[in-house]
Amino acid sequence: MSKAAAIDIASVSKVYGATTAVHAISLKVPAGSYCCLLGPSGCGKSTTLRMIAGHESISSGDIRLGNTVVTDLPPARRGTAMMFQSYALFPHIDVTDNVAFSLKMKGVAKDERRAKALEMLKLVQMDPYATRRPAQLSGGQQQRVALARALITDPEALLLDEPLSALDPFLKIRMRAELKRLQTTLGITFVHVTHSQEEAMALADLIVVMNDGRIEQAAHPREVFERPATAFVARFMGDHNVISGRVTAATESGVTVAVPSGGEFTATGGVREVGESIDIAVRTDKVRIGASDAPGLGFTGIVDNIEYRGASVKLTVSGAGVQDFTAIVSDAAFFAAPVKVGDAASLAWGPEDSIVLGRLDS
Ligand code: ADP
């Protein structure tokens, strides 16, 4: 197996006519890491991946793989391999010849290339199916073949475009574990495009959250979850309430924010000026039902919705100028003092659960 290579994306843009799909992004993916490009449809994930692979030209900026600038190299000379969403297997040849195809193109002799293909099929546990045609395989099995075919070139980085999206939910979780195992075994760099927060959290060492052709945050999953950089990340990851308002007081440790025709809230972790318009985030799972013991760390509102989730209960409450504020409380805490839709409820949280969010320069 070949070595892993770091990927260095330096001020890379992609312009299609009047549309800028990617706005001068910079990103360093360490060698041997599992990186997920995460974001909603149309945010530029696939375009970025295709530019790394060489399937899309770069409008400006440079991409390095290891020490080599690959910006102008064709896909086959970059040291990358790409696995496509559709798998793109050839229907008329068997699994082994599908996997061996790129070696055939390079002029490798038949016995040698079939032996190497079998080795790759063993790696993805598909050697018992070596003589089948793609149509005789399930979706999950076809995906393993596509993986083996991508890996036969000994890439330094494997690029995967929504690799799990065609699988049913059960298989998706199984293949997710397989991908992680494969990446750990091979030790090469993986860049995986997904719109699923859960998938990215489960797989990545580095999550790159993209929005509208820009990178909102690139960090370890735990940091993205605990310290979302922007309101977009906090909302997209789905585990934070975002409250927007104007700073009325600022100290070294935090701020007080007034919500238009609503309450005042405090948050830590950002130096801001009085009068500035900002966003703060409150973790949904840290909110408790009950009166707050400190000003700015809670409010009283009307319960809009209640969802029972087994181990927890999700409440949506509006009040103090804040709409649809979500609290996830344990089932025990909820049923100890249950509330109904339309009731008034007080919510509270701790000073460490409310943080100041940044905004991207645009
Ligand atoms: P994602 O993978 O995050 O869904 P894409 O990278 O596919 O997003 O697309 C980013 C943006 O670029 C979208 O607005 C899309 O419509 C546009 N785009 C992608 N490919 C092309 C193309 N070949 N020509 C014109 N616009 C494109």
Side-chain angles (χ1 to χ4, degrees):
M1 284 287 135
S2 55
K3 289 206 323 278
I7 302 170
D8 186 356
I9 298 175
S11 288
V12 166
S13 296
K14 178 70 198 180
V15 180
Y16 294 108
T19 313
T20 302
V22 176
H23 293 265
I25 60 166
S26 293
L27 173 71
K28 284 183 168 42
V29 181
S33 56
Y34 201 124
C35 170
C36 283
L37 302 182
L38 173 67
S41 180
C43 73
K45 309 178 295 291
S46 299
T47 303
T48 303
L49 194 77
R50 291 201 306 270
M51 288 193 287
I52 301 171
H55 294 301
E56 195 71 76
S57 64
I58 295 170
S59 304
S60 63
D62 267 315
I63 297 183
R64 268 197 177 74
L65 199 83
N67 295 324
T68 315
V69 176
V70 298
T71 309
D72 298 316
L73 291 182
R77 291 190 42 219
R78 294 192 170 203
T80 55
M82 178 120 168
M83 201 191 99
F84 295 94
Q85 196 172 354
S86 61
Y87 313 147
L89 299 176
F90 300 117
H92 54 284
I93 55 177
D94 74 10
V95 159
T96 312
D97 281 335
N98 259 286
V99 174
F101 187 75
S102 64
L103 298 188
K104 185 178 180 183
M105 291 292 100
K106 284 186 181 165
V108 177
K110 187 167 184 177
D111 287 352
E112 191 186 332
R113 64 176 194 253
R114 284 188 65 98
K116 180 84 197 264
L118 199 59
E119 195 189 307
M120 290 299 125
L121 286 168
K122 281 195 178 127
L123 190 68
V124 296
Q125 289 137 22
M126 280 299 290
D127 44 313
Y129 303 90
T131 57
R132 290 212 189 163
R133 299 259 170 111
Q136 297 167 310
L137 301 175
S138 70
Q141 291 168 333
Q142 289 183 30
Q143 196 206 34
R144 286 166 196 262
V145 174
L147 265 174
R149 190 178 56 174
L151 290 168
I152 201 164
T153 57
D154 286 343
E156 294 171 278
L158 181 65
L159 311 172
L160 307 115
D161 194 359
E162 301 261 4
L164 304 175
S165 63
L167 304 177
D168 66 54
F170 176 75
L171 207 52
K172 202 174 268 195
I173 290 175
R174 230 180 76 190
M175 280 311 294
R176 190 163 88 189
E178 282 285 313
L179 281 179
K180 187 75 181 168
R181 179 190 65 83
L182 203 58
Q183 192 267 335
T184 313
T185 311
L186 298 172
I188 62 174
T189 313
F190 273 35
V191 183
H192 171 143
V193 162
T194 180
H195 56 260
S196 157
Q197 301 86 330
E198 186 192 325
E199 199 168 296
M201 292 286 278
L203 286 168
D205 310 307
L206 175 64
I207 293 187
V208 180
V209 184
M210 293 185 70
N211 174 31
D212 201 15
R214 294 181 174 86
I215 294 175
E216 297 264 340
Q217 187 169 18
H220 186 271
R222 184 143 193 244
E223 192 175 337
V224 173
F225 182 76
E226 301 258 337
R227 306 224 41 107
T230 63
F232 178 84
V233 177
R235 288 203 183 94
F236 188 73
M237 296 310 287
D239 304 289
H240 289 84
N241 292 288
V242 177
I243 300 175
S244 302
R246 214 165 267 286
V247 178
T248 53
T251 65
E252 293 242 315
S253 60
V255 294
T256 304
V257 179
V259 173
S261 28
E264 282 201 326
F265 297 92
T266 60
T268 54
V271 181
R272 291 295 190 278
E273 306 271 320
V274 170
E276 209 179 323
S277 137
I278 67 162
D279 310 303
I280 65 171
V282 180
R283 276 269 291 272
T284 56
D285 61 330
K286 301 286 187 180
V287 178
R288 58 180 194 278
I289 301 176
S292 168
D293 42 17
L297 295 171
F299 70 97
T300 300
I302 301 296
V303 178
D304 296 323
N305 195 32
I306 299 173
E307 275 178 22
Y308 176 61
R309 299 178 152 193
S312 63
V313 178
K314 179 181 168 189
L315 298 171
T316 313
V317 178
S318 297
V322 181
Q323 297 299 313
D324 300 326
F325 187 97
T326 301
I328 314 270
V329 296
S330 73
D331 63 332
F334 180 81
F335 289 108
V339 290
K340 302 186 303 299
V341 169
D343 284 356
S346 294
L347 301 177
W349 52 88
E352 65 284 0
D353 305 321
S354 170
I355 59 168
V356 174
L357 298 169
R359 287 187 176 173
L360 292 190
D361 303 330
S362 49

